[in-house]
Amino acid sequence: MAIQREPGQKGINWSNIAVGAIMNMVTTLGQPLEVLKTQMAANRSQTMVQATKAVWARGGVAGMYQGLIPWAWIEASTKGGVLLFTASEIETAGVGMGVSPAIAGLLGGMGGGIAQAYATMGFTTCMKTVEITRHKEAAVGVERSTFQVFMDIYRREGIKGINKGVNAVAVRQCTNWGSRMGFARLAETMIRNVRGKGEKDSLGAMDKILSSSIGGALATWNQPIEVVRVEMQSMAKTTANANRPAKLTILNTLGFIYKENGIKGLYRGVTPRIGLGIWQTICMVSFADYVKAWVKKS
């Protein structure tokens, strides 16, 4: 993902904000995997088949795209620009200082992930999770639009309520994109070595997709952080369990989930997340590299 600058070129490549926003909008095609991942993380006794049936029962195809409009679109269009811009600048600076592509990708992904979490993702991720987990309201006859939910939370809890779980989001995004980009760049280096290519030699499309797939799949090692994030933001079980801490933090939520569901509970939803991680990494690393090269030539 490092920006290939011309000799003597200086300054910041602002076009990466637009490229990141566009490419991350493409990743929202994977919303059904996002919904399944969140459903399983919030209802940790469900298998993937049970989660699929539960989501489908809420609205068929529309249920599989719950939370897409407007929150996932708002999130994608903003966080993508922040991620690609920040990660590219950090990665390019790292490579320029002689850091290996894998380490530069790791640092770029970590920095980009943290930046997008605090700049744009706190309230959008929270609201997207609320939309997916608040179906029990409808079951008892409570009808609220997505913006009514947003304003109700804001009036009741203020900015903190809207950004509930943002620290968990930051930890997740830091480890997510640090791992995805770091593993993807490492895989690219290994593929180049196998094919006898140098660092300056370009890889074919299938090699890029393969390396991104490896990065996206391996990055799901941090699934416990995602399950913690969903539990902190979920509206489905705020009063369902007397053992659930009244004031959730990352650590006490982690402890609560482990006591209730064990190690398996902390990795609930990892299967759809692997698919989602592969798709997002292909879009934001492999495809984004090609789009940035095309923008540079234009």
Side-chain angles (χ1 to χ4, degrees), residues 87-104:
S88 293
E89 292 302 317
I90 293 174
E91 189 175 1
T92 300
V95 171
M97 294 169 62
V99 176
S100 71
I103 298 299

Side-chain angles (χ1 to χ4, degrees), residues 195-275:
R195 298 193 182 284
K197 293 185 175 184
E199 280 191 17
K200 300 295 183 181
D201 297 327
S202 60
L203 293 175
M206 293 309 298
D207 288 336
K208 295 282 289 183
I209 289 173
L210 174 60
S211 62
S212 291
S213 298
I214 293 171
L218 292 179
T220 57
W221 64 267
N222 69 350
Q223 180 65 9
I225 299 170
E226 171 65 359
V227 176
V228 166
R229 191 273 304 174
V230 171
E231 181 67 31
M232 292 179 73
Q233 295 178 340
S234 175
M235 292 185 69
K237 297 187 292 182
T238 53
T239 59
N241 193 319
N243 296 323
R244 191 176 193 260
K247 186 174 182 180
L248 296 174
T249 66
I250 292 177
L251 289 179
N252 70 19
T253 305
L254 184 71
F256 165 70
I257 294 170
Y258 179 75
K259 289 178 182 177
E260 293 289 313
N261 307 105
I263 292 294
K264 286 186 177 181
L266 290 170
Y267 280 89
R268 183 63 68 186
V270 71
T271 301
R273 186 160 176 250
I274 288 173

